[in-house]
Amino acid sequence: MSENQKSLGIITICRGSSFREKGYYKKLSMIARKRGIRVFVFSPRQVDFSTRMVNGFEYRGGVWQNKTFPLPLYIYDRCFVGPSYRHYKPFVEKLQNDPSITFLGYGLSGKWQVHEMLNKSPLLTKWLPPTSPFSFAALDRTLQERGSAVIKPIAGTHGIGVIRIDRNPNGYQLTGRDRENKPFTKRLRTLNGLKTFLTGYIGSRKYLLQPYLPLHTQDGTPFDVRVLVQKNGEGEWETTGRAVRLGDKRSITSNLHGGGQATSLDSFLTMHFPAKTRSTIEKELEQLVAELPPFLEREHGRLVELGIDVGIDTAGNIWIIEVNSRPGRTVFTMINDPKARIHSIIQPVRYACYLMKHA
């Protein structure tokens, strides 16, 4: 193989020499090097398509070194979707459309598109909360029928912008996270007041609407289950690890970026659910995790890994909350699961080796 055939480029959002997840990319680079694969990190905006060269960063000698590299034939997409992603998207798409480049996986689009894809599965449908694009008419209808609703940004991350809205005799109460990811509560007396506030809060962003589900413990602590699934060295899906993320009682989300904590799934289920309910939850989780990755891949295109966030309501019913194609790994460090943490780093390298071998 030529030099660029044995190279794996990681695309991410860079600001000069600054980029996220340096610790993860460092470990991944060292693991890949032992397998004869050269790893470097670069911004899609730094590609010269005429010379097929790119300016990026390689971890060598204990430091990140700035160098120029031939455009790699294999790319691992870690460009997180956020406010600045629109500046990177055209360049990511140009790389995706290059016939000589193979992406380990293609990033999922917004929550609504993912929901529509998953809704095509007869098995997965029962675990999907009723979901629709946000409108004030739909919100008013949901509040009148159910009393509570949740709105969330289609392209949001880390629980930012998610709001629970409760209708009560005194008007409306809002609980959520602002754009700085800080918990807030607000009381509004009229429907017009609610509309005025949400119009300013949402702005031009697109939102989804769901009925509120009691995805919390008996004492009101919000939580969800993060399941990390990844392709292995044979190109097959495997579960790398599972953990419970616990949020702040003042919030409705359990995201770690909002100050959440983590614990092991087994101990959590034992503490909060009776044996019969635990057995049902475990069985359904296994079914969900076995069905979702291959089904979503058939609908969407190649994927390399998925963070599947599952909610469990107070009655023990499970719900698909979100599916992320660029999942983090912090949760396994927080629950002291070194096997899952190391496995989570090795699997993308194994899958890259598989693709290179079968090219």
Side-chain angles (χ1 to χ4, degrees), residues 240-351:
T240 295
R242 310 182 305 175
V244 173
R245 303 183 300 182
L246 300 155
D248 188 318
K249 287 184 184 180
R250 299 172 297 165
S251 177
I252 63 166
T253 62
S254 51
N255 200 281
L256 300 181
H257 287 80
Q261 299 177 318
T263 188
S264 74
L265 177 62
D266 291 344
S267 62
F268 180 86
L269 293 180
T270 300
M271 182 180 297
H272 293 281
F273 294 96
K276 187 176 180 180
T277 306
R278 287 202 309 272
S279 177
T280 302
I281 291 170
E282 284 281 10
K283 182 180 177 182
E284 291 199 27
L285 262 179
E286 287 180 13
Q287 291 175 339
L288 187 159
V289 172
E291 169 76 3
L292 191 152
F295 181 86
L296 187 56
E297 188 167 42
R298 287 193 296 272
E299 292 292 321
H300 168 77
R302 185 187 296 121
L303 295 162
V304 56
E305 57 192 351
L306 293 169
I308 305 172
D309 296 338
V310 180
I312 306 175
D313 66 27
T314 48
N317 302 304
I318 73 171
W319 302 94
I320 299 169
I321 302 305
E322 188 171 349
V323 183
N324 189 338
S325 57
R326 301 175 182 92
R329 290 149 174 78
T330 309
V331 67
F332 302 119
T333 301
M334 294 178 73
I335 67 169
N336 193 26
D337 187 344
K339 183 178 178 182
R341 182 178 57 81
I342 295 168
H343 208 59
S344 72
I345 300 167
I346 293 173
Q347 288 289 53
V349 176
R350 287 175 174 162
Y351 184 53

Side-chain angles (χ1 to χ4, degrees), residues 121-133:
S121 163
L123 179 58
L124 296 173
T125 300
K126 66 179 179 180
W127 295 311
L128 289 170
T131 305
S132 64

Side-chain angles (χ1 to χ4, degrees), residues 97-268:
N97 293 326
D98 191 309
S100 67
I101 294 175
T102 297
F103 272 60
L104 303 195
Y106 300 104
L108 292 170
S109 46
K111 296 182 180 72
W112 176 240
Q113 290 81 0
V114 173
H115 176 86
E116 287 190 304
M117 285 187 278
L118 297 180
N119 208 27
K120 295 178 183 178
S121 163
L123 179 58
L124 296 173
T125 300
K126 66 179 179 180
W127 295 311
L128 289 170
T131 305
S132 64
F134 172 81
S135 71
F136 287 112
L139 173 62
D140 188 31
R141 187 166 55 249
T142 301
L143 290 174
Q144 290 195 44
E145 292 173 356
R146 296 176 177 261
S148 299
V150 169
I151 63 170
K152 57 180 68 173
I154 284 179
T157 57
H158 308 323
I160 298 171
V162 179
I163 302 177
R164 171 184 173 179
I165 304 166
D166 296 301
R167 183 171 178 259
N168 57 51
N170 298 318
Y172 304 89
Q173 176 162 315
L174 283 62
T175 309
R177 287 190 173 275
D178 62 22
R179 295 187 184 185
E180 283 72 49
N181 208 12
K182 295 178 181 177
F184 78 89
T185 59
K186 190 173 185 66
R187 291 176 177 83
L188 298 163
R189 297 187 64 180
T190 66
L191 182 61
N192 281 339
L194 177 64
K195 286 183 178 180
T196 300
F197 173 78
L198 290 180
T199 298
Y201 184 86
I202 292 172
S204 61
R205 295 180 297 172
K206 293 183 178 180
Y207 263 66
L208 291 180
L209 170 69
Q210 295 175 334
Y212 171 73
L213 299 171
L215 306 178
H216 53 74
T217 61
Q218 294 297 333
D219 71 353
T221 302
F223 74 91
D224 66 13
V225 180
R226 161 57 64 92
V227 183
L228 177 62
V229 292
Q230 297 175 293
K231 292 278 191 66
N232 61 20
E234 301 300 320
E236 303 294 332
W237 287 104
E238 277 186 12
T239 297
T240 295
R242 310 182 305 175
V244 173
R245 303 183 300 182
L246 300 155
D248 188 318
K249 287 184 184 180
R250 299 172 297 165
S251 177
I252 63 166
T253 62
S254 51
N255 200 281
L256 300 181
H257 287 80
Q261 299 177 318
T263 188
S264 74
L265 177 62
D266 291 344
S267 62
F268 180 86

